[in-house]
């Protein structure tokens, strides 16, 4: 835990170091926060790093401006692993490439559906709903950031998704006590700004099949007004669901590494209780932890070779001091995307692992599902980043 006097002094000092960036009016990005969320005992239900804000999902880099980059990534674990990305700009180059929509659906009729569409990124900021779109491929959400739906049309495939039962897992990392900040010395931001959970929909194929879809969904938003600086080496992030018959535990993390060895880690833990007799809805949900750079509470290790992961949150008297554990033994590569500047983003499906946690005073074990994302910066000055 942080010393409160040191915390206040650090925050005040940070106020004079950072200059406020220009974002969408009403956004939470780059605003001050002075507390993480420690809710293991259940006494604190919300903090400013876990409040959903519909404006936070809108483009923070104006599409008409030829600088900066932005990315929205949506993942569905269920009928098929589905990965959708809306992109503008390039994370590793000043070259402002056209906006691009990427789609990957794994295992449809024994093959993978993969394609992209380039064009202009458009967005709608309506009183009742918000939307981003590239061509016919759109993400729409409500003004309270409680639901979203997706419409995709590419290469003869049409995909629809609608979220309907949320696990209340909005989360902003907060390096240097600034909402959404991922790097203390840059303008690199990211968050999970929309609530996530169950989604249903359909996939219409060129073979005139209409395949029902269902599963757990998650979305991430990341952007910067400049390419990632040369000192950034690697970024790793994941959304992991640990589930049993009694509960769903959601774990989100961001892990950034610089070439000089500096590491920032931000992590979220939330719990949702399924509605009795209904496996596709939640009766209640709450956030347990939402912390940044707190090594006393959160521990993470990622195996570079297998993409396995071990993560733990400390327990408390409310859990009989039983920690929350997430142990991923293997992850399967779904796809890779290379930037104009040479940076590579890889996505892995989490397919094998276990979670351990306390529930009503009893230790419970559960299975895991989710997605692991890894960004590797391009080689710079003839030196390969590892």
């Amino acid at each position: 835990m942080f010393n409160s006097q040191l915390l206040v002094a650090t925050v005040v000092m940070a106020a004079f170091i950072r200059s406020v960036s220009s974002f969408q009016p009403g956004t939470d990005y780059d605003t001050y926060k002075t507390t993480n969320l420690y809710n293991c005992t259940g006494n604190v239900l919300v903090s400013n790093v876990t409040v959903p804000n519909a404006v936070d999902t809108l483009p923070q880099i104006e599409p008409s401006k030829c600088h900066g980059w932005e990315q929205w990534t949506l993942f569905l674990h269920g009928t098929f692993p589905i990965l959708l990305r809306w992109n503008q700009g390039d994370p590793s180059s000043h070259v402002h490439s056209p906006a691009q929509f990427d789609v990957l659906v794994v295992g449809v009729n024994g093959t993978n559906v993969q394609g992209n569409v380039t064009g202009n990124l458009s967005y709608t900021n309506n009183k009742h709903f918000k939307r981003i779109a590239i061509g016919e491929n759109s993400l729409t959400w409500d003004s309270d950031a409680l639901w979203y739906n997706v419409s995709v049309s590419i290469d003869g495939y049409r995909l629809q998704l609608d979220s309907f039962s949320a696990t209340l897992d909005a989360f902003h990392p907060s390096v240097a006590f600034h909402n959404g900040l991922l790097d203390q010395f840059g303008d690199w931001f990211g968050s999970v700004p929309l609530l996530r959970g169950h989604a249903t929909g359909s996939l219409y194929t060129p073979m005139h099949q209409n395949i029902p879809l269902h599963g757990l969904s998650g979305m991430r938003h990341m952007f910067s007004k400049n390419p990632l600086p040369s000192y950034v080496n690697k970024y790793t992030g994941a959304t992991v669901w640990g589930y049993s018959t009694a509960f769903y535990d959601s774990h989100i993390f961001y892990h950034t590494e610089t070439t000089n060895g500096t590491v920032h880690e931000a992590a979220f833990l939330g719990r949702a209780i399924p509605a009795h007799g209904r496996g596709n809805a939640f009766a209640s949900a709450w956030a347990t932890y939402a912390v940044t750079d707190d090594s006393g509470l959160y521990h993470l290790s990622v195996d570079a070779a297998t993409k396995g992961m071990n993560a733990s949150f400390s327990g408390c008297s409310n859990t009989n001091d039983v920690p929350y554990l997430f142990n991923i033994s293997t992850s399967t590569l779904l796809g890779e995307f290379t930037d104009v500047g040479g940076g590579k983003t890889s996505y892995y499906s989490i397919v094998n692992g276990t979670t351990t946690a306390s529930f009503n005073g009893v230790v419970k074990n559960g299975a895991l599902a989710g997605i692991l994302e890894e960004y590797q910066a391009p080689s710079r000055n003839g030196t390969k980043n590892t």
Side-chain angles (χ1 to χ4, degrees), residues 257-293:
E257 301 177 18
T258 65
T259 53
N260 69 1
T262 300
V263 171
H264 291 294
E265 287 183 346
F268 172 94
L269 176 68
R271 175 162 288 186
I273 307 299
H276 181 68
R278 298 177 60 191
N280 61 355
F282 301 118
S284 62
W286 64 90
T288 306
Y289 290 123
V291 297
T292 298
D293 292 337

Side-chain angles (χ1 to χ4, degrees), residues 360-379:
N360 287 342
V362 179
V363 176
K364 297 282 188 178
N365 295 315
L368 290 182
I371 188 170
L372 179 70
E373 175 185 1
E374 182 179 82
Y375 175 82
Q376 180 67 61
S379 301

Side-chain angles (χ1 to χ4, degrees), residues 70-375:
E70 197 156 11
Q71 184 179 98
W72 297 260
T73 305
L74 190 142
F75 175 70
L76 179 77
H77 172 85
T79 309
F80 308 109
I82 297 176
L83 178 67
L84 308 173
R85 307 197 322 163
W86 291 261
N87 310 274
Q88 64 166 332
D90 190 86
S92 57
S93 171
H94 286 282
V95 176
H96 195 79
S97 54
Q100 179 169 303
F101 173 77
D102 301 309
V103 59
L104 173 63
V105 186
V106 178
V108 181
N109 296 321
T111 188
N112 294 344
V113 178
Q114 187 167 7
N116 61 72
V117 172
T118 58
N120 295 321
L121 175 74
S122 62
Y123 72 96
T124 302
N125 187 4
N126 186 278
K127 178 181 179 181
H128 303 291
F129 72 93
K130 321 292 182 184
R131 176 182 292 139
I132 60 169
I134 299 175
E136 299 181 76
N137 308 290
S138 64
L139 169 70
T140 305
W141 61 100
D142 70 308
S143 57
D144 294 321
L146 296 177
W147 57 261
Y148 56 81
N149 59 55
V150 173
S151 179
V152 171
S153 179
I154 188 169
D155 296 338
Y157 290 88
R158 295 199 302 272
L159 184 150
Q160 298 284 335
L161 285 176
D162 295 283
S163 68
F164 67 92
S165 185
T167 52
L168 301 182
D169 297 341
F171 173 50
H172 287 71
S174 54
V175 171
F177 309 105
H178 288 262
N179 252 19
L181 192 64
L182 295 174
D183 172 58
Q184 186 171 357
F185 300 105
D187 285 311
W188 179 22
F189 293 86
S191 75
V192 178
L194 285 179
L195 302 183
R196 58 195 181 80
H198 287 299
T200 60
S202 62
L203 177 65
Y204 184 82
T205 75
M207 300 170 64
H208 307 293
Q209 299 168 289
N210 197 30
I211 304 172
L213 301 175
H214 63 87
L216 290 165
S217 66
M219 200 215 73
R220 287 173 177 251
H221 183 199
M222 189 179 298
F223 64 93
S224 178
K225 293 185 179 294
N226 299 287
L228 293 178
S230 58
Y231 60 80
V232 171
N233 182 43
K234 183 184 292 185
Y235 153 80
T236 306
T239 298
V240 185
W241 298 282
Y243 54 94
S244 71
T245 56
F247 63 86
Y248 283 71
D249 276 351
S250 303
H251 173 212
I252 301 164
F253 78 78
Y254 291 82
H255 175 98
T256 62
E257 301 177 18
T258 65
T259 53
N260 69 1
T262 300
V263 171
H264 291 294
E265 287 183 346
F268 172 94
L269 176 68
R271 175 162 288 186
I273 307 299
H276 181 68
R278 298 177 60 191
N280 61 355
F282 301 118
S284 62
W286 64 90
T288 306
Y289 290 123
V291 297
T292 298
D293 292 337
D294 189 339
S295 59
L297 179 70
Y298 178 69
H299 298 276
L300 171 71
S301 63
V302 179
D303 188 297
T306 66
K307 306 307 175 187
M309 182 188 80
N310 291 299
S312 65
F313 293 86
S314 298
C316 63
S317 58
N318 199 47
T319 68
N320 293 325
D321 295 318
V322 175
Y324 299 83
L325 303 176
F326 295 82
N327 300 304
I328 299 167
S329 54
T330 56
S331 301
T332 300
L333 180 66
L334 293 176
E336 296 181 327
F337 301 85
T338 302
D339 303 332
V340 173
K344 184 173 70 174
T345 306
S346 304
Y347 295 92
Y348 299 84
S349 178
I350 296 170
V351 294
N352 193 9
T354 59
T355 183
T356 303
S358 176
F359 180 76
N360 287 342
V362 179
V363 176
K364 297 282 188 178
N365 295 315
L368 290 182
I371 188 170
L372 179 70
E373 175 185 1
E374 182 179 82
Y375 175 82

